[in-house]
Amino acid sequence: MIYNSEIETLKLEKLRSLQNQRLRDLLLRLQQTVPFYQKQWEQAGVDLARIKSVEDLHKLPFTKKSHLRDHYPYGLFAKPMAEVRRIHASSGTTGKPTVVGYSQNDLEIFDEVVARSLVCAGARPGMKLHNAYGYGLFTGGLGMHGGATKLGMAVIPVSGGMTERQLTILQDFEPEVMCCTPSYALTLGEKFKELGVDTASLAVKYAVLGAEPWTETVRQEVESALHVDATNIYGLSEIIGPGVSQEEVDEKGRGSHIWEDHFFPEVVDPRNGEPLPHGTEGVLVFTTLTKEAFPLVRYWTNDICSIYYDPDSRRSHVKMSAIKGRSDEMLIIRGVNLFHTQVEAVFTEFQELTPNYQLVVAREGNMDQVKVLVECQQDLQPRTLSYLSQQLMKRLKGNIGLSMKVEIQESGSIPRSVGGKLSRIVDTRP
Ligand code: DLL
């Protein structure tokens, strides 16, 4: 099943023409309603008449998180508050939250893209969704809720946390689909195992996981622990929330479709913002083609991935690779760039290890060091442990090009997700 077959399989030429028309509408709207864009384009000497298609987008300046902060809370809204129907915010690690708004039409688009995503993940009308994304200012809970309702599912709005209760609901309410962060799916799988529950007997068949970077290592663990097909859902509050892109359950590992009739993607060089060709990794940038209350032009997400078309896919929309990490959270250790997903990916090669890990960054003398703390499946003999550590250090050095210390720990020693996003990095540097 495809939720919106006409749009999701639209031939590229028609898709471009739709995008171009929407882009021109958007730019005119913004010029009339948002002083920030008027000023930014004037300063950059942009002649809007010369922006005719998405191919011209690179002539426009980027919108960055700092611009959102400078116009906190509502300075970039393009609709009067009387036409705003919902406000969300993302917490951010420093300073004020990022505030985003939705008109009625924006909420309908939000529902539409999440409904498309759920179908892509395996969900169907008549199924039940166990929604363990947080409800509240975070877009995960309400975003998935609206899309599932639109699709014709029964939503169980569990929200994050209270793990014991989640397990009871998964057992007794018999949802066929669940959604939460990948790190929380690991927690749920582990708890079921502790309790000796045979997860093959549960009704749940599909898990829609996102809101943080994850790799095939975590997919393997979640799929075997919960007996589900796990797919990736991506999104960010600034662009809409979950449902900016989604991986198809029959195309696992081959990237996620970006719903590009609404969100036009570009990938640019993180160093200078130059556009990069398809297939090359860089910073993902989005222009929201249809949003009314809080549209963004060339929004610099900081997320690192590549985009490409997949001619073997049933849907025509462009795909993005799994996010490697955020450019503003990339570690630079002794001149080597490091994302925690690169470390996570190596664990697949070691059956004895679990995907419960943490990277501890410290300064020793004037050198930065990374220690990889990772848990093993069961108690191992000291000799086996020492051998395993050596092997892991070798693989990390071989794959990433960086010498890291390794400490294999017993099960339960590394923090778990208690419902939401989990930070994998502890940076103790001054
Ligand atoms: O995390 C929206 C969301 C909710 C997406 C539920 C998927 C599921 P924010 O809190 O604004 O919004 O955080 C957005 O989270 O820029 C990425 O860095 C990261 N992120 C989101 N989804 C993924 C994913 C929601 N599938 C930020 N893979 C984004 C990797 C992700 N990173």
Side-chain angles (χ1 to χ4, degrees), residues 65 89-91 133 138-141 144 180 208-214 232-238 241-243 301-303 322-326 421:
K65 188 108 173 172
S90 76
S91 54
Y133 284 119
F138 176 56
T139 51
M144 296 307 291
C180 60
V208 195
L209 311 180
E212 61 187 3
W214 59 301
N232 190 18
I233 186 161
Y234 165 84
L236 58 164
S237 334
E238 296 93 309
T301 65
N302 272 320
D303 292 325
I323 301 286
K324 203 167 172 185
R326 294 178 57 82
K421 304 188 191 220

PDB file of all heavy atoms in Angstrom, residues 65 89-91 133 138-141 144 180 208-214 232-238 241-243 301-303 322-326 421, ligand 1:
ATOM      1  N   LYS A  65      20.043  28.230  12.858  1.00  0.00           N
ATOM      2  CA  LYS A  65      19.446  28.182  14.207  1.00  0.00           C
ATOM      3  C   LYS A  65      19.608  29.524  14.929  1.00  0.00           C
ATOM      4  O   LYS A  65      18.708  29.951  15.658  1.00  0.00           O
ATOM      5  CB  LYS A  65      20.149  27.074  14.991  1.00  0.00           C
ATOM      6  CG  LYS A  65      19.535  26.768  16.321  1.00  0.00           C
ATOM      7  CD  LYS A  65      18.832  25.443  16.264  1.00  0.00           C
ATOM      8  CE  LYS A  65      18.329  25.003  17.622  1.00  0.00           C
ATOM      9  NZ  LYS A  65      17.482  23.813  17.520  1.00  0.00           N
ATOM     10  N   ALA A  89       8.010  23.413  20.627  1.00  0.00           N
ATOM     11  CA  ALA A  89       9.346  23.960  20.863  1.00  0.00           C
ATOM     12  C   ALA A  89      10.309  22.813  21.088  1.00  0.00           C
ATOM     13  O   ALA A  89       9.925  21.762  21.605  1.00  0.00           O
ATOM     14  CB  ALA A  89       9.317  24.867  22.086  1.00  0.00           C
ATOM     15  N   SER A  90      11.552  23.009  20.646  1.00  0.00           N
ATOM     16  CA  SER A  90      12.549  21.977  20.940  1.00  0.00           C
ATOM     17  C   SER A  90      13.515  22.568  21.940  1.00  0.00           C
ATOM     18  O   SER A  90      13.875  23.736  21.852  1.00  0.00           O
ATOM     19  CB  SER A  90      13.235  21.501  19.673  1.00  0.00           C
ATOM     20  OG  SER A  90      14.164  22.450  19.248  1.00  0.00           O
ATOM     21  N   SER A  91      13.894  21.734  22.902  1.00  0.00           N
ATOM     22  CA  SER A  91      14.593  22.242  24.079  1.00  0.00           C
ATOM     23  C   SER A  91      15.977  22.785  23.746  1.00  0.00           C
ATOM     24  O   SER A  91      16.338  23.857  24.212  1.00  0.00           O
ATOM     25  CB  SER A  91      14.696  21.149  25.119  1.00  0.00           C
ATOM     26  OG  SER A  91      15.278  20.026  24.522  1.00  0.00           O
ATOM     27  N   TYR A 133       6.521   8.082  21.868  1.00  0.00           N
ATOM     28  CA  TYR A 133       7.231   9.366  21.787  1.00  0.00           C
ATOM     29  C   TYR A 133       6.588  10.305  22.797  1.00  0.00           C
ATOM     30  O   TYR A 133       5.371  10.235  23.041  1.00  0.00           O
ATOM     31  CB  TYR A 133       7.109   9.969  20.385  1.00  0.00           C
ATOM     32  CG  TYR A 133       7.993   9.299  19.357  1.00  0.00           C
ATOM     33  CD1 TYR A 133       7.449   8.680  18.252  1.00  0.00           C
ATOM     34  CD2 TYR A 133       9.382   9.295  19.503  1.00  0.00           C
ATOM     35  CE1 TYR A 133       8.257   8.061  17.298  1.00  0.00           C
ATOM     36  CE2 TYR A 133      10.198   8.678  18.570  1.00  0.00           C
ATOM     37  CZ  TYR A 133       9.634   8.073  17.464  1.00  0.00           C
ATOM     38  OH  TYR A 133      10.434   7.465  16.548  1.00  0.00           O
ATOM     39  N   PHE A 138       7.614  18.711  22.614  1.00  0.00           N
ATOM     40  CA  PHE A 138       8.315  17.862  21.642  1.00  0.00           C
ATOM     41  C   PHE A 138       7.316  17.425  20.568  1.00  0.00           C
ATOM     42  O   PHE A 138       6.183  17.049  20.879  1.00  0.00           O
ATOM     43  CB  PHE A 138       8.890  16.639  22.382  1.00  0.00           C
ATOM     44  CG  PHE A 138       9.557  15.617  21.506  1.00  0.00           C
ATOM     45  CD1 PHE A 138      10.603  15.970  20.659  1.00  0.00           C
ATOM     46  CD2 PHE A 138       9.158  14.286  21.532  1.00  0.00           C
ATOM     47  CE1 PHE A 138      11.225  15.021  19.855  1.00  0.00           C
ATOM     48  CE2 PHE A 138       9.776  13.328  20.738  1.00  0.00           C
ATOM     49  CZ  PHE A 138      10.808  13.708  19.894  1.00  0.00           C
ATOM     50  N   THR A 139       7.750  17.459  19.296  1.00  0.00           N
ATOM     51  CA  THR A 139       6.826  17.161  18.195  1.00  0.00           C
ATOM     52  C   THR A 139       6.537  15.670  18.008  1.00  0.00           C
ATOM     53  O   THR A 139       5.610  15.314  17.275  1.00  0.00           O
ATOM     54  CB  THR A 139       7.410  17.688  16.863  1.00  0.00           C
ATOM     55  OG1 THR A 139       8.751  17.206  16.750  1.00  0.00           O
ATOM     56  CG2 THR A 139       7.382  19.193  16.784  1.00  0.00           C
ATOM     57  N   GLY A 140       7.330  14.799  18.656  1.00  0.00           N
ATOM     58  CA  GLY A 140       7.198  13.359  18.418  1.00  0.00           C
ATOM     59  C   GLY A 140       5.817  12.804  18.735  1.00  0.00           C
ATOM     60  O   GLY A 140       5.166  12.190  17.879  1.00  0.00           O
ATOM     61  N   GLY A 141       5.355  13.019  19.967  1.00  0.00           N
ATOM     62  CA  GLY A 141       4.095  12.420  20.422  1.00  0.00           C
ATOM     63  C   GLY A 141       2.897  12.882  19.602  1.00  0.00           C
ATOM     64  O   GLY A 141       2.224  12.080  18.936  1.00  0.00           O
ATOM     65  N   MET A 144       3.102  12.026  15.654  1.00  0.00           N
ATOM     66  CA  MET A 144       2.768  10.649  15.269  1.00  0.00           C
ATOM     67  C   MET A 144       1.281  10.392  15.509  1.00  0.00           C
ATOM     68  O   MET A 144       0.620   9.693  14.745  1.00  0.00           O
ATOM     69  CB  MET A 144       3.606   9.644  16.079  1.00  0.00           C
ATOM     70  CG  MET A 144       5.094   9.704  15.852  1.00  0.00           C
ATOM     71  SD  MET A 144       5.602   9.580  14.122  1.00  0.00           S
ATOM     72  CE  MET A 144       5.183   7.893  13.731  1.00  0.00           C
ATOM     73  N   CYS A 180       8.959   4.894  18.992  1.00  0.00           N
ATOM     74  CA  CYS A 180       9.725   5.492  20.094  1.00  0.00           C
ATOM     75  C   CYS A 180      11.139   5.742  19.578  1.00  0.00           C
ATOM     76  O   CYS A 180      11.427   5.458  18.415  1.00  0.00           O
ATOM     77  CB  CYS A 180       9.773   4.562  21.305  1.00  0.00           C
ATOM     78  SG  CYS A 180      10.525   2.962  20.991  1.00  0.00           S
ATOM     79  N   VAL A 208       8.675   2.050  14.534  1.00  0.00           N
ATOM     80  CA  VAL A 208       9.029   3.245  13.758  1.00  0.00           C
ATOM     81  C   VAL A 208       9.924   4.106  14.652  1.00  0.00           C
ATOM     82  O   VAL A 208       9.440   4.778  15.568  1.00  0.00           O
ATOM     83  CB  VAL A 208       7.762   4.015  13.310  1.00  0.00           C
ATOM     84  CG1 VAL A 208       8.110   5.007  12.214  1.00  0.00           C
ATOM     85  CG2 VAL A 208       6.671   3.049  12.844  1.00  0.00           C
ATOM     86  N   LEU A 209      11.222   4.054  14.380  1.00  0.00           N
ATOM     87  CA  LEU A 209      12.196   4.602  15.319  1.00  0.00           C
ATOM     88  C   LEU A 209      12.917   5.821  14.760  1.00  0.00           C
ATOM     89  O   LEU A 209      13.362   5.813  13.604  1.00  0.00           O
ATOM     90  CB  LEU A 209      13.238   3.525  15.663  1.00  0.00           C
ATOM     91  CG  LEU A 209      12.700   2.151  16.076  1.00  0.00           C
ATOM     92  CD1 LEU A 209      13.868   1.206  16.393  1.00  0.00           C
ATOM     93  CD2 LEU A 209      11.761   2.264  17.262  1.00  0.00           C
ATOM     94  N   GLY A 210      13.044   6.843  15.588  1.00  0.00           N
ATOM     95  CA  GLY A 210      13.753   8.041  15.135  1.00  0.00           C
ATOM     96  C   GLY A 210      13.948   9.026  16.262  1.00  0.00           C
ATOM     97  O   GLY A 210      13.825   8.683  17.439  1.00  0.00           O
ATOM     98  N   ALA A 211      14.293  10.258  15.895  1.00  0.00           N
ATOM     99  CA  ALA A 211      14.570  11.373  16.798  1.00  0.00           C
ATOM    100  C   ALA A 211      16.018  11.404  17.269  1.00  0.00           C
ATOM    101  O   ALA A 211      16.439  12.335  17.952  1.00  0.00           O
ATOM    102  CB  ALA A 211      13.619  11.418  18.005  1.00  0.00           C
ATOM    103  N   GLU A 212      16.796  10.376  16.926  1.00  0.00           N
ATOM    104  CA  GLU A 212      18.227  10.365  17.263  1.00  0.00           C
ATOM    105  C   GLU A 212      18.931   9.429  16.273  1.00  0.00           C
ATOM    106  O   GLU A 212      18.292   8.546  15.688  1.00  0.00           O
ATOM    107  CB  GLU A 212      18.436   9.876  18.705  1.00  0.00           C
ATOM    108  CG  GLU A 212      17.946   8.461  18.929  1.00  0.00           C
ATOM    109  CD  GLU A 212      17.977   8.006  20.389  1.00  0.00           C
ATOM    110  OE1 GLU A 212      18.334   8.808  21.269  1.00  0.00           O
ATOM    111  OE2 GLU A 212      17.638   6.834  20.638  1.00  0.00           O
ATOM    112  N   PRO A 213      20.229   9.618  16.055  1.00  0.00           N
ATOM    113  CA  PRO A 213      20.948   8.767  15.102  1.00  0.00           C
ATOM    114  C   PRO A 213      21.056   7.329  15.611  1.00  0.00           C
ATOM    115  O   PRO A 213      21.196   7.108  16.810  1.00  0.00           O
ATOM    116  CB  PRO A 213      22.345   9.399  15.036  1.00  0.00           C
ATOM    117  CG  PRO A 213      22.222  10.744  15.642  1.00  0.00           C
ATOM    118  CD  PRO A 213      21.101  10.664  16.620  1.00  0.00           C
ATOM    119  N   TRP A 214      20.963   6.389  14.694  1.00  0.00           N
ATOM    120  CA  TRP A 214      21.124   4.963  15.045  1.00  0.00           C
ATOM    121  C   TRP A 214      21.626   4.221  13.830  1.00  0.00           C
ATOM    122  O   TRP A 214      21.536   4.715  12.705  1.00  0.00           O
ATOM    123  CB  TRP A 214      19.830   4.377  15.601  1.00  0.00           C
ATOM    124  CG  TRP A 214      18.605   4.434  14.717  1.00  0.00           C
ATOM    125  CD1 TRP A 214      18.026   5.561  14.208  1.00  0.00           C
ATOM    126  CD2 TRP A 214      17.807   3.342  14.252  1.00  0.00           C
ATOM    127  NE1 TRP A 214      16.905   5.244  13.472  1.00  0.00           N
ATOM    128  CE2 TRP A 214      16.739   3.876  13.483  1.00  0.00           C
ATOM    129  CE3 TRP A 214      17.853   1.964  14.429  1.00  0.00           C
ATOM    130  CZ2 TRP A 214      15.760   3.083  12.877  1.00  0.00           C
ATOM    131  CZ3 TRP A 214      16.879   1.179  13.838  1.00  0.00           C
ATOM    132  CH2 TRP A 214      15.842   1.729  13.078  1.00  0.00           C
ATOM    133  N   ASN A 232      13.356   3.571  10.019  1.00  0.00           N
ATOM    134  CA  ASN A 232      13.827   4.874  10.476  1.00  0.00           C
ATOM    135  C   ASN A 232      12.868   5.983  10.077  1.00  0.00           C
ATOM    136  O   ASN A 232      12.508   6.114   8.915  1.00  0.00           O
ATOM    137  CB  ASN A 232      15.199   5.111   9.812  1.00  0.00           C
ATOM    138  CG  ASN A 232      15.927   6.316  10.376  1.00  0.00           C
ATOM    139  OD1 ASN A 232      15.617   6.797  11.464  1.00  0.00           O
ATOM    140  ND2 ASN A 232      16.908   6.809   9.623  1.00  0.00           N
ATOM    141  N   ILE A 233      12.474   6.782  11.055  1.00  0.00           N
ATOM    142  CA  ILE A 233      11.702   7.996  10.745  1.00  0.00           C
ATOM    143  C   ILE A 233      12.549   9.193  11.169  1.00  0.00           C
ATOM    144  O   ILE A 233      13.163   9.185  12.229  1.00  0.00           O
ATOM    145  CB  ILE A 233      10.323   8.005  11.432  1.00  0.00           C
ATOM    146  CG1 ILE A 233       9.504   9.219  10.958  1.00  0.00           C
ATOM    147  CG2 ILE A 233      10.402   7.978  12.958  1.00  0.00           C
ATOM    148  CD1 ILE A 233       8.012   9.094  11.185  1.00  0.00           C
ATOM    149  N   TYR A 234      12.616  10.192  10.286  1.00  0.00           N
ATOM    150  CA  TYR A 234      13.471  11.357  10.557  1.00  0.00           C
ATOM    151  C   TYR A 234      12.626  12.629  10.516  1.00  0.00           C
ATOM    152  O   TYR A 234      11.630  12.693   9.788  1.00  0.00           O
ATOM    153  CB  TYR A 234      14.579  11.436   9.502  1.00  0.00           C
ATOM    154  CG  TYR A 234      15.311  12.765   9.453  1.00  0.00           C
ATOM    155  CD1 TYR A 234      16.374  13.028  10.317  1.00  0.00           C
ATOM    156  CD2 TYR A 234      14.919  13.766   8.563  1.00  0.00           C
ATOM    157  CE1 TYR A 234      17.039  14.255  10.279  1.00  0.00           C
ATOM    158  CE2 TYR A 234      15.576  14.994   8.525  1.00  0.00           C
ATOM    159  CZ  TYR A 234      16.637  15.233   9.388  1.00  0.00           C
ATOM    160  OH  TYR A 234      17.281  16.440   9.362  1.00  0.00           O
ATOM    161  N   GLY A 235      13.054  13.603  11.254  1.00  0.00           N
ATOM    162  CA  GLY A 235      12.399  14.904  11.170  1.00  0.00           C
ATOM    163  C   GLY A 235      12.959  15.846  12.202  1.00  0.00           C
ATOM    164  O   GLY A 235      13.752  15.452  13.059  1.00  0.00           O
ATOM    165  N   LEU A 236      12.571  17.098  12.095  1.00  0.00           N
ATOM    166  CA  LEU A 236      12.981  18.095  13.085  1.00  0.00           C
ATOM    167  C   LEU A 236      11.872  19.119  13.231  1.00  0.00           C
ATOM    168  O   LEU A 236      11.137  19.394  12.273  1.00  0.00           O
ATOM    169  CB  LEU A 236      14.311  18.756  12.723  1.00  0.00           C
ATOM    170  CG  LEU A 236      14.486  19.493  11.407  1.00  0.00           C
ATOM    171  CD1 LEU A 236      15.738  20.357  11.488  1.00  0.00           C
ATOM    172  CD2 LEU A 236      14.617  18.535  10.241  1.00  0.00           C
ATOM    173  N   SER A 237      11.731  19.641  14.442  1.00  0.00           N
ATOM    174  CA  SER A 237      10.649  20.583  14.742  1.00  0.00           C
ATOM    175  C   SER A 237      10.620  21.734  13.761  1.00  0.00           C
ATOM    176  O   SER A 237       9.546  22.142  13.318  1.00  0.00           O
ATOM    177  CB  SER A 237      10.806  21.177  16.137  1.00  0.00           C
ATOM    178  OG  SER A 237      11.519  20.351  16.982  1.00  0.00           O
ATOM    179  N   GLU A 238      11.796  22.273  13.437  1.00  0.00           N
ATOM    180  CA  GLU A 238      11.844  23.465  12.594  1.00  0.00           C
ATOM    181  C   GLU A 238      11.172  23.212  11.240  1.00  0.00           C
ATOM    182  O   GLU A 238      10.563  24.107  10.667  1.00  0.00           O
ATOM    183  CB  GLU A 238      13.300  23.901  12.342  1.00  0.00           C
ATOM    184  CG  GLU A 238      14.043  24.342  13.589  1.00  0.00           C
ATOM    185  CD  GLU A 238      14.806  23.179  14.226  1.00  0.00           C
ATOM    186  OE1 GLU A 238      14.205  22.102  14.452  1.00  0.00           O
ATOM    187  OE2 GLU A 238      16.006  23.353  14.508  1.00  0.00           O
ATOM    188  N   GLY A 241       8.511  18.278  12.243  1.00  0.00           N
ATOM    189  CA  GLY A 241       8.513  17.276  13.308  1.00  0.00           C
ATOM    190  C   GLY A 241       8.813  15.937  12.660  1.00  0.00           C
ATOM    191  O   GLY A 241       9.439  15.909  11.588  1.00  0.00           O
ATOM    192  N   PRO A 242       8.361  14.804  13.237  1.00  0.00           N
ATOM    193  CA  PRO A 242       8.608  13.519  12.580  1.00  0.00           C
ATOM    194  C   PRO A 242       7.881  13.479  11.235  1.00  0.00           C
ATOM    195  O   PRO A 242       6.874  14.155  11.057  1.00  0.00           O
ATOM    196  CB  PRO A 242       8.005  12.504  13.554  1.00  0.00           C
ATOM    197  CG  PRO A 242       7.009  13.265  14.361  1.00  0.00           C
ATOM    198  CD  PRO A 242       7.560  14.659  14.461  1.00  0.00           C
ATOM    199  N   GLY A 243       8.415  12.674  10.287  1.00  0.00           N
ATOM    200  CA  GLY A 243       7.710  12.536   9.007  1.00  0.00           C
ATOM    201  C   GLY A 243       8.273  13.428   7.914  1.00  0.00           C
ATOM    202  O   GLY A 243       7.656  13.613   6.878  1.00  0.00           O
ATOM    203  N   THR A 301      20.274  22.287   8.788  1.00  0.00           N
ATOM    204  CA  THR A 301      19.866  21.396   9.889  1.00  0.00           C
ATOM    205  C   THR A 301      21.021  20.963  10.781  1.00  0.00           C
ATOM    206  O   THR A 301      20.792  20.506  11.895  1.00  0.00           O
ATOM    207  CB  THR A 301      19.233  20.093   9.349  1.00  0.00           C
ATOM    208  OG1 THR A 301      20.254  19.376   8.630  1.00  0.00           O
ATOM    209  CG2 THR A 301      18.041  20.357   8.444  1.00  0.00           C
ATOM    210  N   ASN A 302      22.246  21.043  10.257  1.00  0.00           N
ATOM    211  CA  ASN A 302      23.434  20.500  10.934  1.00  0.00           C
ATOM    212  C   ASN A 302      23.515  18.978  10.828  1.00  0.00           C
ATOM    213  O   ASN A 302      24.493  18.378  11.271  1.00  0.00           O
ATOM    214  CB  ASN A 302      23.491  20.887  12.425  1.00  0.00           C
ATOM    215  CG  ASN A 302      24.191  22.207  12.628  1.00  0.00           C
ATOM    216  OD1 ASN A 302      25.200  22.489  11.981  1.00  0.00           O
ATOM    217  ND2 ASN A 302      23.652  23.044  13.488  1.00  0.00           N
ATOM    218  N   ASP A 303      22.505  18.313  10.290  1.00  0.00           N
ATOM    219  CA  ASP A 303      22.524  16.854  10.179  1.00  0.00           C
ATOM    220  C   ASP A 303      23.338  16.426   8.959  1.00  0.00           C
ATOM    221  O   ASP A 303      23.174  16.983   7.878  1.00  0.00           O
ATOM    222  CB  ASP A 303      21.098  16.308  10.063  1.00  0.00           C
ATOM    223  CG  ASP A 303      20.321  16.492  11.356  1.00  0.00           C
ATOM    224  OD1 ASP A 303      20.938  16.384  12.437  1.00  0.00           O
ATOM    225  OD2 ASP A 303      19.103  16.753  11.283  1.00  0.00           O
ATOM    226  N   ALA A 322      21.004   7.318   6.278  1.00  0.00           N
ATOM    227  CA  ALA A 322      20.854   7.496   7.730  1.00  0.00           C
ATOM    228  C   ALA A 322      21.760   8.639   8.175  1.00  0.00           C
ATOM    229  O   ALA A 322      22.858   8.816   7.631  1.00  0.00           O
ATOM    230  CB  ALA A 322      21.234   6.213   8.448  1.00  0.00           C
ATOM    231  N   ILE A 323      21.304   9.402   9.151  1.00  0.00           N
ATOM    232  CA  ILE A 323      22.111  10.530   9.651  1.00  0.00           C
ATOM    233  C   ILE A 323      23.328   9.984  10.407  1.00  0.00           C
ATOM    234  O   ILE A 323      23.189   9.154  11.296  1.00  0.00           O
ATOM    235  CB  ILE A 323      21.278  11.407  10.618  1.00  0.00           C
ATOM    236  CG1 ILE A 323      20.019  11.975   9.926  1.00  0.00           C
ATOM    237  CG2 ILE A 323      22.125  12.500  11.245  1.00  0.00           C
ATOM    238  CD1 ILE A 323      20.273  13.080   8.962  1.00  0.00           C
ATOM    239  N   LYS A 324      24.488  10.497  10.019  1.00  0.00           N
ATOM    240  CA  LYS A 324      25.725  10.072  10.670  1.00  0.00           C
ATOM    241  C   LYS A 324      25.879  10.777  12.020  1.00  0.00           C
ATOM    242  O   LYS A 324      26.427  10.239  12.971  1.00  0.00           O
ATOM    243  CB  LYS A 324      26.881  10.476   9.757  1.00  0.00           C
ATOM    244  CG  LYS A 324      28.127   9.715   9.937  1.00  0.00           C
ATOM    245  CD  LYS A 324      29.019  10.032   8.758  1.00  0.00           C
ATOM    246  CE  LYS A 324      30.395   9.473   8.906  1.00  0.00           C
ATOM    247  NZ  LYS A 324      31.250   9.908   7.787  1.00  0.00           N
ATOM    248  N   GLY A 325      25.394  12.004  12.083  1.00  0.00           N
ATOM    249  CA  GLY A 325      25.495  12.790  13.311  1.00  0.00           C
ATOM    250  C   GLY A 325      25.234  14.239  12.970  1.00  0.00           C
ATOM    251  O   GLY A 325      24.920  14.563  11.816  1.00  0.00           O
ATOM    252  N   ARG A 326      25.367  15.094  13.960  1.00  0.00           N
ATOM    253  CA  ARG A 326      25.173  16.526  13.725  1.00  0.00           C
ATOM    254  C   ARG A 326      26.543  17.189  13.606  1.00  0.00           C
ATOM    255  O   ARG A 326      27.431  16.915  14.414  1.00  0.00           O
ATOM    256  CB  ARG A 326      24.388  17.159  14.881  1.00  0.00           C
ATOM    257  CG  ARG A 326      22.951  16.666  15.001  1.00  0.00           C
ATOM    258  CD  ARG A 326      22.273  17.311  16.193  1.00  0.00           C
ATOM    259  NE  ARG A 326      22.307  18.756  16.103  1.00  0.00           N
ATOM    260  CZ  ARG A 326      21.458  19.486  15.382  1.00  0.00           C
ATOM    261  NH1 ARG A 326      20.484  18.895  14.708  1.00  0.00           N
ATOM    262  NH2 ARG A 326      21.556  20.791  15.345  1.00  0.00           N
ATOM    263  N   LYS A 421      15.345  10.759  23.993  1.00  0.00           N
ATOM    264  CA  LYS A 421      16.639  10.721  23.317  1.00  0.00           C
ATOM    265  C   LYS A 421      17.719  10.411  24.353  1.00  0.00           C
ATOM    266  O   LYS A 421      17.629  10.865  25.485  1.00  0.00           O
ATOM    267  CB  LYS A 421      16.941  12.079  22.669  1.00  0.00           C
ATOM    268  CG  LYS A 421      15.861  12.565  21.698  1.00  0.00           C
ATOM    269  CD  LYS A 421      16.305  13.816  20.948  1.00  0.00           C
ATOM    270  CE  LYS A 421      15.153  14.453  20.197  1.00  0.00           C
ATOM    271  NZ  LYS A 421      15.491  14.956  18.873  1.00  0.00           N
TER     272      LYS A 421
HETATM  273  O1  DLL B   1      13.324  14.694  16.973  1.00  0.00           O
HETATM  274  C1  DLL B   1      11.371  15.013  15.598  1.00  0.00           C
HETATM  275  C2  DLL B   1      11.151  13.543  15.561  1.00  0.00           C
HETATM  276  C3  DLL B   1      10.313  12.946  16.480  1.00  0.00           C
HETATM  277  C4  DLL B   1      11.744  12.773  14.588  1.00  0.00           C
HETATM  278  C5  DLL B   1      10.087  11.609  16.432  1.00  0.00           C
HETATM  279  C6  DLL B   1      11.525  11.412  14.528  1.00  0.00           C
HETATM  280  C7  DLL B   1      10.692  10.820  15.458  1.00  0.00           C
HETATM  281  P1  DLL B   1      13.718  17.647  17.302  1.00  0.00           P
HETATM  282  O2  DLL B   1      13.557  17.359  18.744  1.00  0.00           O
HETATM  283  O3  DLL B   1      13.569  19.035  16.818  1.00  0.00           O
HETATM  284  O4  DLL B   1      12.695  16.826  16.458  1.00  0.00           O
HETATM  285  O5  DLL B   1      15.148  17.092  16.901  1.00  0.00           O
HETATM  286  C8  DLL B   1      15.558  17.103  15.575  1.00  0.00           C
HETATM  287  O6  DLL B   1      16.920  15.142  15.940  1.00  0.00           O
HETATM  288  O7  DLL B   1      17.883  17.583  13.518  1.00  0.00           O
HETATM  289  C9  DLL B   1      18.389  15.254  14.100  1.00  0.00           C
HETATM  290  O8  DLL B   1      19.610  15.740  14.598  1.00  0.00           O
HETATM  291  C10 DLL B   1      17.766  14.330  15.128  1.00  0.00           C
HETATM  292  N1  DLL B   1      16.965  13.286  14.474  1.00  0.00           N
HETATM  293  C11 DLL B   1      15.646  13.226  14.322  1.00  0.00           C
HETATM  294  N2  DLL B   1      15.285  12.072  13.692  1.00  0.00           N
HETATM  295  C12 DLL B   1      16.440  11.406  13.434  1.00  0.00           C
HETATM  296  C13 DLL B   1      16.757  10.172  12.814  1.00  0.00           C
HETATM  297  C14 DLL B   1      12.562  15.459  16.423  1.00  0.00           C
HETATM  298  N3  DLL B   1      15.835   9.346  12.339  1.00  0.00           N
HETATM  299  C15 DLL B   1      16.928  16.482  15.450  1.00  0.00           C
HETATM  300  N4  DLL B   1      18.066   9.852  12.718  1.00  0.00           N
HETATM  301  C16 DLL B   1      17.361  16.369  14.008  1.00  0.00           C
HETATM  302  C17 DLL B   1      19.024  10.652  13.179  1.00  0.00           C
HETATM  303  C18 DLL B   1      17.504  12.188  13.930  1.00  0.00           C
HETATM  304  N5  DLL B   1      18.787  11.807  13.798  1.00  0.00           N
END
